[in-house]
Amino acid sequence: MPDDRYPPIADHAVVGDGETAALVGLDARIGWACLPRFDSPAVLASLLDADRGGRWDLPVEGVTGTSQRYVEDTAVVVTQLRTADGVLEVTDVLAVAGEFEEKRSAARQTLLRRLRVVEGRVRVASDLRGFDGAAVDGARVPLPGGEGGRTLRLRSSRPGAEAHELVAGDTWTLALTWAEEPEVWTPAEVDAAIEETIRVWRSWAEHVTYSGPYVDAVRRSAITLKVCDHHVSGAVVAAVTSSLPEAIGGERNWDYRFTWVRDAAYTVYAMRRVGMVEESDGFLDWVLDACTHDDGRPDVLYTLDGHIPGEEQDDDRYEGYRGSRPVRWGNGAAGQLQHDVYGEILDCAWQFVRAGGQVDDRRFDRLRHLATLARENAETPDQGIWEIRDAGRPFTYSVAMCQVALDRFARIARATGREESALEWEEAAEALRAELLERAWSAEDGCFTEHLDQPGTLDASLLALPLRRVVDAADPRMVATTAAVVDKLRAGEDLLYRYLHTDSPDGLEGEEGAFLLCSFWWVDNLVQSGRVEQARDLFEKLLRRQNHVGLLSEEIDPENGEFLGNFPQAFSHIGLISSAVLLDRAAG
């Protein structure tokens, strides 16, 4: 049964400043905020424990209806609360100043809330409390990595925490700040900061170049990726939340406030296609710095600073979203073997070179080292793209991405004038490709399969093979594989599971929802194999999955359409952008 203490995940908008983010509910509750950074402790976390988790409520007497919208081309959200006597408008913003371009912006390290009665009269209070009801004003929150901490301070333009009766035209401003030198935040200063933040976002949004038929969805997705972009380091977090469940009541609850190497190449591709060049270059630099700084094996995911996350820990203090335990901080996948990382890094490096980036001998040698690791480990079992918590297996996708590593390194060598190396690695890439396509093909099943030399199982990562140029989407074998994946993993008209746990054990209990990115991969395969109208129909069904402000989660419950998993999910918005661009190109 639904737990009324927990609003649907979809009933939220996200605000961000390039350092952290907060979720604002349709009821104006802020039930998630990690301060002062994405990967800091959760100061507000009622999404993970409605009673103890910490929240910032604006209790309004007699609410009869709510609505929510973004100020156009911004991450500034406006929530309206209606009563029989009036209408309250709440503007929420993580304040920024300067410009986003070329890292000339500055997070003002303040969460601003402006309450304004636009009609009639409204009685409203401010109720801010941390974990177990602890006072937030004056609390000290540590920075990740043991780098000291920040003190939280609350500034209010009206005295006390009791309810105030406001009439049309009245405002009440609130500022929760963790800046080292906090400002006073008078109402006039709050108004000015909100207008400045709107100006900064709109100035940045002018650089989003997509103008096709899905412009609203693409621009909102681009802004959402920008919210996930850590402007200091260039890293992009997978999502701003931790432990929102992939199935209600289940254990598939993970901390996504880190940067996955796997996401990098997809993210860079999507960003560059819609004009987010600065962010694309920043993420490329971050990936190459984090993953080629020594001659060791690259890791699967990193902190914003390019370090390995701390050990994954279960936090028994929280009951979890609608009872979905455990709540986790950190991510144990960081120590897994996932051989696709070689291809992701080399693909990023190839995009870097294509964009005019220079590769000196030192970096070239380190890229060669990664390509060598890919060649040596291509057929070694690993935990795969889906990060199974079970014994490793020879996943087709992992081998395919090792082939991508060899191919992209060969391209880098040729593009940078290293002809002898180019020839050697081109031959190695083609040999691995031929072996992969032979051993992954099952004549019995009539399609490529999830593992080498193991017929009978499928997973949706096979849909990514054409996207990484391992096999053409129009190749009859790939067309047959796409049809088989859809037939086996379909979860409704427009949704796909990643895999079936009954066929592909992953070491975890319970089930999960349909994975949205896989549906966008399905769209891409249809486009690239010439079935454009079918792809467009599927894509438009997926657009109807967006919430009221255009955001997407990681997964969808096929039974009821509810959002599942961490939110908003960068990968889902990357998929949306890529599919929209492909459809636009197919239409000429």
Side-chain angles (χ1 to χ4, degrees):
M1 293 292 291
D3 187 338
D4 291 340
R5 298 176 304 145
Y6 291 94
I9 295 169
D11 284 2
H12 293 86
V14 65
V15 295
D17 63 2
E19 291 185 2
T20 191
L23 297 186
V24 185
L26 270 167
D27 58 358
R29 167 181 287 186
I30 297 180
W32 182 263
C34 296
L35 303 175
R37 294 198 333 184
F38 294 111
D39 52 355
S40 296
V43 174
L44 306 177
S46 63
L47 269 178
L48 299 182
D49 195 306
D51 298 324
R52 306 181 67 193
R55 62 188 185 273
W56 193 351
D57 285 334
L58 300 175
V60 172
E61 294 181 4
V63 173
T64 59
T66 66
S67 63
Q68 197 172 57
R69 62 179 176 84
Y70 278 112
V71 176
E72 186 178 5
D73 278 345
T74 77
V76 176
V77 68
V78 178
T79 308
Q80 279 199 347
L81 305 173
R82 296 182 295 278
T83 74
D85 300 318
V87 178
L88 176 70
E89 185 176 87
V90 181
T91 301
D92 284 298
V93 56
L94 277 160
V96 293
E99 303 293 341
F100 280 131
E101 293 81 8
E102 300 175 4
K103 298 187 178 181
R104 287 184 283 117
S105 67
R108 298 182 71 172
Q109 300 173 338
T110 302
L111 175 57
L112 298 175
R113 314 201 75 180
R114 182 177 66 195
L115 289 62
R116 175 178 292 156
V117 175
V118 296
E119 182 182 318
R121 61 181 63 247
V122 175
R123 190 166 181 80
V124 57
S126 171
D127 183 12
L128 172 62
R129 59 187 69 190
F131 184 80
D132 251 354
V136 170
D137 193 8
R140 185 85 171 164
V141 290
L143 287 168
E147 304 170 10
R150 297 286 176 83
T151 300
L152 296 168
R153 298 176 177 87
L154 179 63
R155 300 285 186 260
S156 172
S157 65
R158 292 177 180 269
E162 70 278 2
H164 296 271
E165 185 166 292
L166 309 180
V167 299
D170 286 348
T171 63
W172 182 3
T173 59
L174 298 150
L176 180 64
T177 182
W178 49 96
E180 291 184 290
E181 298 180 4
E183 301 173 56
V184 176
W185 290 114
T186 65
E189 289 171 332
V190 170
D191 286 344
I194 291 173
E195 291 306 311
E196 169 68 358
T197 301
I198 290 171
R199 185 200 65 77
V200 172
W201 275 105
R202 286 180 168 168
S203 174
W204 174 82
E206 290 176 358
H207 296 269
V208 178
T209 55
Y210 177 88
S211 58
Y214 307 112
V215 62
D216 291 341
V218 168
R219 291 179 79 83
R220 179 49 52 195
S221 290
I223 290 167
T224 304
L225 289 184
K226 185 63 177 173
V227 167
C228 295
D229 173 37
H230 185 238
H231 77 96
V232 177
S233 67
V236 177
V237 295
V240 305
T241 58
S242 174
S243 301
L244 291 179
E246 296 174 4
I248 301 300
E251 66 170 334
R252 299 168 184 271
N253 318 316
W254 314 111
D255 190 350
Y256 274 16
R257 301 169 303 145
F258 305 108
T259 298
W260 268 253
V261 173
R262 175 177 307 112
D263 299 13
Y266 289 104
T267 304
V268 167
Y269 176 89
M271 284 178 165
R272 192 168 290 278
R273 292 305 176 275
V274 294
M276 298 173 67
V277 176
E278 194 69 36
E279 291 76 14
S280 170
D281 289 347
F283 199 13
L284 278 170
D285 288 343
W286 181 91
V287 170
L288 296 179
D289 286 344
C291 299
T292 65
H293 65 278
D294 58 34
D295 291 330
R297 176 178 66 86
D299 288 286
V300 174
L301 61 106
Y302 294 86
T303 67
L304 302 176
D305 302 319
H307 303 307
I308 308 306
E311 185 178 348
E312 182 178 284
Q313 296 181 342
D314 294 355
D315 194 336
D316 295 334
R317 298 177 302 161
Y318 294 84
E319 72 172 6
Y321 180 81
R322 296 186 181 175
S324 305
R325 280 182 164 171
V327 167
R328 293 183 169 101
W329 311 114
N331 197 301
Q336 287 186 347
L337 282 177
Q338 297 179 25
H339 297 318
D340 64 300
V341 297
Y342 305 121
E344 311 296 357
I345 299 166
L346 268 298
D347 199 0
C348 275
W350 169 233
Q351 292 190 53
F352 174 76
V353 170
R354 288 184 65 189
Q358 301 300 307
V359 176
D360 60 18
D361 288 345
R362 179 170 174 269
R363 177 162 277 181
F364 186 79
D365 286 343
R366 289 184 172 175
L367 294 175
R368 188 207 315 269
H369 172 69
L370 294 176
T372 302
L373 289 174
R375 183 163 58 182
E376 294 173 349
N377 290 284
E379 298 175 31
T380 304
D382 70 346
Q383 273 63 48
I385 182 176
W386 308 129
E387 303 182 341
I388 64 169
R389 301 210 169 189
D390 201 356
R393 303 197 284 269
F395 286 98
T396 296
Y397 182 81
S398 296
V399 180
M401 290 309 297
C402 288
Q403 191 277 336
V404 168
L406 308 189
D407 175 81
R408 302 309 190 264
F409 184 66
R411 292 171 187 262
I412 291 167
R414 190 164 294 284
T416 58
R418 297 170 169 97
E419 299 295 331
E420 187 174 338
S421 288
L423 183 60
E424 172 194 348
W425 288 96
E426 284 166 354
E427 292 175 351
E430 186 52 38
L432 182 55
R433 179 180 180 275
E435 181 182 3
L436 165 70
L437 297 183
E438 178 183 351
R439 295 178 60 190
W441 177 258
S442 168
E444 176 185 343
D445 298 312
C447 62
F448 294 120
T449 57
E450 181 181 24
H451 310 111
L452 298 188
D453 305 319
Q454 296 181 25
T457 61
L458 290 166
D459 80 318
S461 69
L462 296 168
L463 298 178
L465 299 184
L467 313 183
R468 312 319 290 269
R469 301 181 182 180
V470 177
V471 60
D472 194 279
D475 185 306
R477 294 169 297 178
M478 193 62 224
V479 172
T481 299
T482 300
V485 167
V486 171
D487 181 62
K488 181 90 174 217
L489 303 181
R490 197 163 190 164
E493 282 192 326
D494 56 336
L495 299 176
L496 297 174
Y497 293 111
R498 296 186 293 179
Y499 52 92
L500 299 181
H501 306 110
T502 52
D503 294 345
S504 304
D506 58 10
L508 296 164
E509 297 294 328
E511 300 298 320
E512 62 178 33
F515 201 79
L516 272 171
L517 179 63
C518 298
S519 290
F520 289 114
W521 286 347
W522 180 11
V523 171
D524 296 348
N525 272 265
L526 293 173
V527 174
Q528 292 183 352
S529 61
R531 293 169 285 176
V532 178
E533 288 311 309
Q534 188 180 345
R536 190 179 308 282
D537 179 64
L538 173 60
F539 183 73
E540 290 176 358
K541 285 185 173 72
L542 291 170
L543 290 187
R544 292 195 284 272
R545 297 285 185 179
Q546 296 173 106
N547 77 349
H548 59 288
V549 288
L551 303 183
L552 292 169
S553 61
E554 177 185 20
E555 298 185 0
I556 298 285
D557 186 332
E559 297 297 321
N560 56 28
E562 285 200 0
F563 281 10
L564 293 170
N566 285 304
F567 170 84
Q569 179 78 1
F571 235 168
S572 298
H573 288 280
I574 290 163
L576 186 156
I577 289 172
S578 296
S579 294
V581 170
L582 276 179
L583 283 165
D584 205 29
R585 288 182 173 181

